[in-house]
Amino acid sequence: MNRCMSLILSVTFIVALCSGCMDYKSITTIDSVKESFLPSYIGTNSDEVSNVSALIKQLPGGETFKKINVQGEYVRITYGYSQGAIPDGQIDNYWFGKPSTLSETFLYNAIYEAILIPNAKAYEVIVDNRRFEVSKEEMQAWLQQHFPDFPENLYNGKEVNHFLMKHQQDIQQLVQTPSVRKAFFSCHPITKF
């Protein structure tokens, strides 16, 4: 009986240990974003650091969010490893495991930042030694080119919400189209430093 109890406890301990090792938070991808949170961030100002940070954490790669700088109405976001539930290897695998993830995530997040943080002058993202930056005017012009019904007043909650609900799938498909990304990043390259 004692031996049986030891065996049961050992097996339970091993199962619990293995479960604990794999109990990492998963990283949000474009396909797993829950867009229902978007309306609450319509008209967010770049100087509202807590709201901008909360928005970034909801977008793809948000679990790898490291720091933000919003000085001068520029939204600068750095992703990477910080103390938390995501191990360093999983972060690297997310951003660099598939060749298109970096560009898809950068473009997807820039679209939503341009729509939801309309007073920012530019949006910059850094991951490891890669950097991407686009101005508000360039991003909004690009969106107007692809969406003729792009809202003129991004502070009009009703109009922006209607646009977001109508085009969520269109935005996702646009971002995941290789020729669209190639054209976008030829004008706004991801640079190494």
Side-chain angles (χ1 to χ4, degrees), residues 40-186:
S40 61
Y41 293 100
I42 293 172
T44 297
N45 286 310
S46 61
D47 63 348
E48 298 172 346
V49 178
S50 62
N51 285 343
V52 174
S53 295
L55 168 63
I56 299 307
K57 289 177 183 177
Q58 298 286 331
L59 292 172
E63 294 80 7
T64 69
F65 169 70
K66 190 172 182 178
K67 67 180 180 177
I68 187 168
N69 182 339
V70 292
Q71 290 179 330
E73 296 180 341
Y74 285 80
V75 176
R76 293 179 177 97
I77 301 150
T78 303
Y79 294 94
Y81 178 76
S82 59
Q83 296 296 336
I86 309 280
D88 199 18
Q90 189 176 349
I91 292 170
D92 288 342
N93 188 48
Y94 171 78
W95 286 104
F96 307 111
K98 182 179 160 194
S100 63
T101 299
L102 188 72
S103 60
E104 285 178 5
T105 303
F106 280 6
L107 181 54
Y108 185 91
N109 289 0
I111 289 170
Y112 281 102
E113 289 167 29
I115 294 169
L116 300 171
I117 312 170
N119 77 318
K121 294 178 181 174
Y123 314 93
E124 179 182 6
V125 182
I126 298 170
V127 176
D128 196 22
N129 65 342
R130 288 160 182 88
R131 179 182 166 278
F132 161 72
E133 182 177 5
V134 64
S135 73
K136 170 180 76 174
E137 290 80 17
E138 292 169 323
M139 196 70 234
Q140 289 181 354
W142 186 84
L143 285 164
Q144 289 167 346
Q145 180 184 14
H146 286 56
F147 300 100
D149 62 339
F150 186 74
E152 287 186 35
N153 179 1
L154 293 174
Y155 287 99
N156 180 330
K158 186 177 180 180
E159 190 178 332
V160 174
N161 190 42
H162 175 72
F163 175 81
L164 291 173
M165 294 302 127
K166 180 179 177 184
H167 293 294
Q168 285 174 353
Q169 291 300 323
D170 300 329
I171 291 169
Q172 183 176 342
Q173 289 173 351
L174 195 65
V175 165
Q176 292 176 330
T177 303
S179 60
V180 170
R181 286 194 318 276
K182 183 177 180 181
F184 180 85
F185 287 107
S186 69

